[in-house]
Amino acid sequence: MTDTLKQTSESLIKDFEAILQDRKALLDELAIYIKGKLISRREVCLIFICTHNSRRSHMAQIWAQTAAAYYNIPSIKTFSGGTQKTAFNILAVNSLKKAGFKIKALSEKSNPKYRVKISKKTSPLICFSKKYSHRSNPQRNFVAIMTCSDADESCPVITGAEYRTTIKYEDPKIFDGTDKAAAAYEHRSRQIGTEMLYVFSKVAGF
């Protein structure tokens, strides 16, 4: 990891105590499921899903892969998708860069692909907006994690998911176009990072 990303991760770990108990219970359930899969020597594929696959689902995908790397937990692969295709929002990208991620745009299209580097030991993530059923995502035996209410309600069935849970995050989009936008995106990134690190700290500790 970059020094900045390592420092950010260590600062987020200090925030575990601030996670509310009912929230921890939800995160613990996910950790228990992941640990069970690892004990049976099975690869764990996590798909984070929100409506537009532009903000929260990307943040969760990237932070979950980072958390697995931080705690040296192998056989974890993370993905993201939406019920619609839009673009990986630049404010979300910038908030992740500030956390210490090395992110490079691979194209200048309306829905560009980004290469996200976590560490020298892990393959980069290629992130772009897509439907959750896109061919670049696993089609079966994956964990579906719904990160917003709209996606959760509009997708009563996620074909191919062997386990489904809902971990909702408020959309920082509501601050777009205001002087609070950058701070809102950073706050949401830190919340998601804290909770994904918490999940994998529990996986490592079981």
Side-chain angles (χ1 to χ4, degrees):
M1 292 184 180
T2 65
D3 290 340
T4 301
L5 182 54
K6 185 176 181 181
Q7 291 169 6
T8 300
S9 298
E10 290 172 350
S11 72
L12 297 181
I13 289 169
K14 296 177 182 178
D15 291 338
F16 285 175
E17 292 303 316
I19 302 173
L20 298 177
Q21 288 303 314
D22 58 346
R23 191 78 171 177
K24 281 185 176 179
L26 183 63
L27 298 170
D28 288 345
E29 289 180 8
L30 177 59
I32 290 168
Y33 185 84
I34 292 171
K35 185 64 174 183
K37 293 252 307 183
L38 293 174
I39 288 173
S40 64
R41 299 184 181 278
R42 297 173 64 192
E43 182 178 76
V44 181
C45 295
L46 310 175
I47 303 183
F48 295 89
I49 301 171
C50 66
T51 303
H52 299 114
N53 190 210
S54 59
R55 298 168 175 82
R56 292 162 288 180
S57 50
H58 280 297
M59 289 179 179
Q61 174 193 1
I62 292 166
W63 273 115
Q65 195 70 65
T66 302
Y70 184 91
Y71 288 103
N72 196 28
I73 300 171
S75 302
I76 303 293
K77 291 185 177 180
T78 67
F79 306 85
S80 67
T83 58
Q84 303 173 34
K85 179 181 75 171
T86 55
F88 190 176
N89 185 270
I90 190 61
L91 293 175
V93 172
N94 290 340
S95 71
L96 291 163
K97 285 181 177 179
K98 186 173 182 179
F101 291 98
K102 296 293 186 181
I103 304 178
K104 181 180 180 180
L106 302 179
S107 69
E108 299 298 328
K109 298 178 181 179
S110 59
N111 180 19
K113 291 184 177 181
Y114 291 90
R115 183 179 64 205
V116 182
K117 189 69 175 174
I118 294 171
S119 74
K120 294 180 180 179
K121 295 181 179 180
T122 60
S123 299
L125 299 174
I126 303 301
C127 298
F128 60 100
S129 183
K130 57 200 166 297
K131 290 188 176 182
Y132 71 84
S133 57
H134 189 273
R135 63 182 180 276
S136 64
N137 286 343
Q139 302 299 304
R140 58 188 179 88
N141 300 330
F142 59 85
V143 178
I145 304 168
M146 316 304 287
T147 61
C148 75
S149 299
D150 289 346
D152 191 32
E153 293 167 2
S154 63
C155 294
V157 176
I158 301 293
T159 303
E162 64 178 18
Y163 179 77
R164 172 177 175 156
T165 188
T166 301
I167 303 175
K168 298 176 186 176
Y169 296 101
E170 292 185 9
D171 194 349
K173 179 182 178 180
I174 61 175
F175 293 98
D176 285 5
T178 74
D179 58 2
K180 297 180 180 179
Y185 278 78
E186 182 180 358
H187 175 75
R188 191 62 61 236
S189 174
R190 289 184 64 86
Q191 180 196 7
I192 293 172
T194 300
E195 295 192 348
M196 292 302 106
L197 284 160
Y198 173 82
V199 167
F200 284 95
S201 74
K202 302 298 284 189
V203 172
F206 287 142

